[in-house]
Every structure is written in C-alpha cells, then in structure tokens.
Amino acid sequence: MKDINIASLVKPNVRSLRAYQAEEVPCKVKLDANESPYSAISDQRSAISFKENLQTLNRYPDPEAKKLRGLIAKEFRVKPENILHGNGSDELIYNLITTFGGPVLYPVPTFSMYGIISQALGEGKIEIPLDDKFDLDIEKLLKAIKRYRPKLIFLSSPNNPTGNSFSTDRISKIIESASSPVTRHPSLVVVDEAYQAFSGKKSFLPLLKKYKNLAVLKTLSKIGLAALRTGFLIADAEVINEVNKVRLPFNVNSLSQAVAIEALKNKKQMRSYVSSIVSERKRLVNEMRKIEGVKPYPSDANFILFKVANADAIHKGLLKRGILVRNMNGAVKDCLRVTVGTPKENEVFLKNLKSSL
Ligand SMILES: *Cc1c(COP(=O)(O)O)cnc(C)c1O
C-alpha cells in the first residue's frame, strides 16, 4: 500500500488537536470524573419500563424528546419551547458554537470542552485568567468583551476544576454588558450549571425572562446518570429555534430518554443522593485541611480541587494504591481534583492520600 500522508488532508485546526483523554485505567476507587457514586435509578420498577423499550429498539427515538422535555420544563418552571435536549451538555456546547460561531470567550482554568470544541470548529478563543480567588476578573472580562465582541461567553458556575461559584453580581454584570443595546454586538452568555445542584446558590434560570442573551446549561451527568449522556439547554425560544437547526435529528436515544423520564419521576431519591454528597464534601474538605502539605480549595460542587507539593508524584502514588483522581497540573499548578465518593471511598482516599505524601 502506498504511504499517504493523511495528516496533510486534515484541517489545520483539527490537526493540532489531541483526542480527549478520559482515563480508563484500572482502579479500585474511581474519583476522577465528577460522577456520582450512586446510580440515580436502580430499582425494580425502572427495570420493567426499560423492558418495554427494548421491544421497540427497531424504531427511531422521539426526535423531539417531548415527554422528557415536558418533565424538564416542569422541573425548572419553564416552557418546553425553552428547552433543547442534547447527547450530554457537551453536544449542546458543540451545537451552540456551530450555531453562533466565535470568537468564544471564557475564563481559565475552566471546563476544557469550551476550548476544544471551539478549536475543532475552527473558531477563535479568548481565554481570560480568573483572579487569585478563582473568581471572574471582571475588569479584564468587560474589556475583552468590548474589544473582541465575542459571539459566545461560557461561564461554568460552580466552575470546573476550581469548584467555586462565581460571584452572582459579576456574572450579572457580564450578562448586562453583553446585552447592552449601545454595543449593537450582543453576546450570548451561557451559564453552565452542571454542578448547581450541589451549590446551595440560586440558578440563573429566573433571569432568562429579563435577558434574551442568557442561556443556561443543565445536565443529568453529575447527579447520577452520566451513562445516559443527557443534557439540556434552557433559553429564549428564539435561541432554542436557532440552535435546534444544527441538532442532529435523533440525538438522544430512546433508552436514555426512558431512563431519564423514570429518574425525573423519582426526584426524591436523586435529591437525597445530592445532599449526602454535599455533606460528605464538607467532611472531606475538613479532613483534608488537617493533612499537612494538602491545601483543599472551597467547593460548591461534587469535587474538590487541592494543592500539593508535587501533583504528578501524588497522582502516581494514589494510582499505585488503586485510587484514581484527576491530575490538574498544567491547568492549575500542582493541583489534583478529587470527586466526592461514598463515605467509604472517601475514607480510602484520605488514608491513601496520607500515605502517598
Ligand atoms: C461534566 C461537565 C459538563 C458535561 O456534561 P455532559 O452532560 O456529561 O456532557 C458540562 N459542563 C461542565 C462544567 C462539566 O464539568
């Protein structure tokens, strides 16, 4: 076979990307991906409804996910026409950038997909460092908005990987400045609330009525249903209609729709898991504070960012002991990110963290 240089065929913006590395290393305790340690649905009743769905796998799923969107509309007190369903919120980020294009502005460090997808689609990125408290650097952000006129602004609050929520008034200022009629160049501000359930802070959803240039991202992934790949964009119907044009027809499969519907019918269960994770997070932060050489940062999410003297070595040391956490060294110097697990998993993590130091 003749040797053909495939790389020369690839678009330059894709050529310089690296495939997303989700670590699939064997481990005893998996605390690297901000998943819930509890499956949000596991009872008998669900298994029965699941069976019915297996008998219609020959049919395409509901392209509009009407029933699921109806339940989400009720849950968040919006109308179904304000909701777009995605194969995870990752897909909705992809759809948003496809629809509106760049430049795309976001603070750093933050969720890596904003940058990766912008680059994959050949759109410009504007990255503004967070301040020393990991909060939004409002002056720099406002200046950048004025100067670069971004089409899209992504704000993950609580932020991944730092764990804190951004100040509400700073987020509001950004939405306000990006909607100002004098600029005539509005930006769509996307508040990514993947971790909002763990935060005790108010959602930005009520502000949708006031700001047409606001959109909110929600996902089931961090509250016990990561395997379903189901997320939602909530925004003005006009925004939803535009983004819906680039959504692939059957993007959320029927099994995911069915299981998500079951889970949303039993919200009590999901809520109790969330509150147990929140109380474990508080305990975990307190315990980590007591360990010399470990500096945990305050968290509003289901994970904790922490600083150590040598992140690479500790990451390796933990892995050797069967504990997988996320190495953030690079994005945040000498930091690791641990997902809050079950009380037992957290104990094992604490014990092994101490012995890895
Ligand atoms: C995990 C995560 C997502 C991705 O969620 P999916 O719905 O699983 O695609 C989105 N935003 C942030 C900030 C995340 O951390």
Side-chain angles (χ1 to χ4, degrees), residues 319-334:
L319 198 53
K320 218 174 64 194
R321 292 165 173 83
I323 321 288
L324 181 62
V325 299
R326 185 72 185 264
N327 190 353
M328 285 294 158
N329 196 13
V332 207
K333 197 175 167 348
D334 271 330

Side-chain angles (χ1 to χ4, degrees), residues 64 69 79-85 92 95-96 98-100 188 212 214-215 233-248:
E64 289 168 40
R69 278 169 52 236
K79 294 193 182 120
E81 61 258 36
N82 297 117
I83 301 172
L84 195 67
H85 51 296
L92 293 163
N95 290 162
L96 280 162
T98 304
T99 303
F100 296 100
L188 186 71
K212 206 170 171 174
L214 171 65
L233 176 70
I234 309 181
D236 187 87
E238 211 179 317
V239 172
I240 297 296
N241 285 340
E242 294 301 329
V243 182
N244 194 29
K245 293 178 188 171
V246 305
R247 180 180 62 82
L248 294 176

